[in-house]
Amino acid sequence: MSILEDLYYGKWYPSERIKPKNPELELVHQKISDSMKALKVRLSEQDYESIEELSDLHDVLISILSASDYISGYKAGALTIIEIINGKII
């Protein structure tokens, strides 16, 4: 199927197709995981739950920002194509 067909049939989810190739990503992810494990041992259950809630809110924030950046990038790409088609760039 093409991307247009996938869009039409609701089978295209760009956020699920992103596979960053940045080696630093795994390192940072591991540091976060290690820190959360250490906090779970050191903090009370209530304090740790507060940290988890904060982490969840941060995840939501990152998701919102990522969607906004994706939309902005898509618009910039579309505007670039329009300028090229209209002959403004060459």
Side-chain angles (χ1 to χ4, degrees):
M1 265 192 190
S2 72
I3 289 176
L4 291 176
E5 288 173 317
D6 285 347
L7 278 170
Y8 178 80
Y9 291 111
K11 296 179 183 178
W12 195 60
Y13 306 98
S15 62
E16 293 177 3
R17 294 175 180 245
I18 297 172
K19 293 180 175 73
K21 294 181 175 43
N22 186 336
E24 189 177 12
L25 180 69
E26 184 60 35
L27 178 64
V28 170
H29 186 269
Q30 188 60 50
K31 285 182 179 180
I32 291 170
S33 180
D34 292 345
S35 294
M36 290 298 286
K37 287 176 186 175
L39 287 171
K40 189 169 188 173
V41 171
R42 290 180 25 209
L43 298 175
S44 69
E45 185 176 334
Q46 184 179 10
D47 287 344
Y48 184 73
E49 286 176 5
S50 294
I51 295 293
E52 283 186 315
E53 288 175 19
L54 181 62
S55 178
D56 291 345
L57 287 172
H58 188 261
D59 290 345
V60 171
L61 175 65
I62 295 299
S63 179
I64 292 168
L65 291 172
S66 293
S68 178
D69 288 345
Y70 175 82
I71 291 166
S72 293
Y74 200 93
K75 287 178 180 179
L79 289 172
T80 301
I81 290 169
I82 290 169
E83 284 189 16
I84 291 169
I85 290 172
N86 289 334
K88 291 183 180 179
I89 297 178
I90 292 189

